[in-house]
Amino acid sequence: MAKHNDLGKLGEERAQAYLQANGYMIRHANWRHLKGELDIVAEKDNQLIVVEVKSRSTEFFEHPKDAVTNGKIRNIVNATQGYIETFDINMETRFDIISVLPKDENFIIEHIEDAFLPPVNC
């Protein structure tokens, strides 16, 4: 496995641990629907929370959260619609981003709640 894939997997594991430590229940990780994938689907306070995790070895070129483009948002929203239909979810849905950056032997985790809204014509 490539080094960036290892960092991505580790970042998702750290994001899940962070969410669980903050009272979120993880429903699924890496859930796939058609061409889309949801990194983490969680639940808290009767809300469905879809979390896009972005890990980078450095933020020198681009902060991880800046890698969530409009196209990526459309894919996340479409996969979320599939998730909601598949599991017959009837909850308010929120989209978050968690960025994970290594620092020394630890990680800096930034959790952005309500990071984006679904596009109007998705």
Side-chain angles (χ1 to χ4, degrees):
M1 183 179 289
K3 190 173 184 172
H4 70 275
N5 290 339
D6 290 341
L7 179 60
K9 185 175 179 353
L10 185 58
E12 288 183 7
E13 290 170 0
R14 295 293 172 117
Q16 285 183 52
Y18 167 87
L19 290 169
Q20 288 173 321
N22 285 282
Y24 291 76
M25 182 194 74
I26 306 298
R27 294 176 58 99
H28 289 97
N30 304 113
W31 189 84
R32 299 188 71 72
H33 177 72
L34 301 175
K35 294 181 181 179
E37 179 181 6
L38 303 177
D39 290 340
I40 300 173
V41 181
E43 191 175 321
K44 184 177 181 181
D45 300 329
N46 203 34
Q47 278 190 318
L48 184 72
I49 296 122
V50 177
V51 181
E52 178 66 11
V53 180
K54 289 297 179 188
S55 304
R56 297 288 186 271
S57 58
T58 177
E59 63 179 322
F60 181 74
F61 295 107
E62 173 182 61
H63 191 280
K65 72 177 186 282
D66 296 330
V68 182
T69 63
N70 288 336
K72 181 69 175 164
I73 289 170
R74 276 193 302 278
N75 290 340
I76 293 167
V77 170
N78 288 334
T80 300
Q81 186 61 40
Y83 187 92
I84 289 168
E85 291 170 2
T86 299
F87 295 101
D88 195 27
I89 304 293
N90 188 20
M91 284 187 257
E92 183 178 328
T93 302
R94 186 179 88 203
F95 297 95
D96 293 2
I97 297 172
I98 291 183
S99 64
V100 180
L101 289 165
K103 180 168 178 152
D104 303 322
E105 298 299 315
N106 294 311
F107 287 84
I108 298 170
I109 295 177
E110 180 182 5
H111 183 189
I112 304 165
E113 295 181 7
D114 253 338
F116 59 86
L117 297 172
V120 176
N121 56 353
C122 195

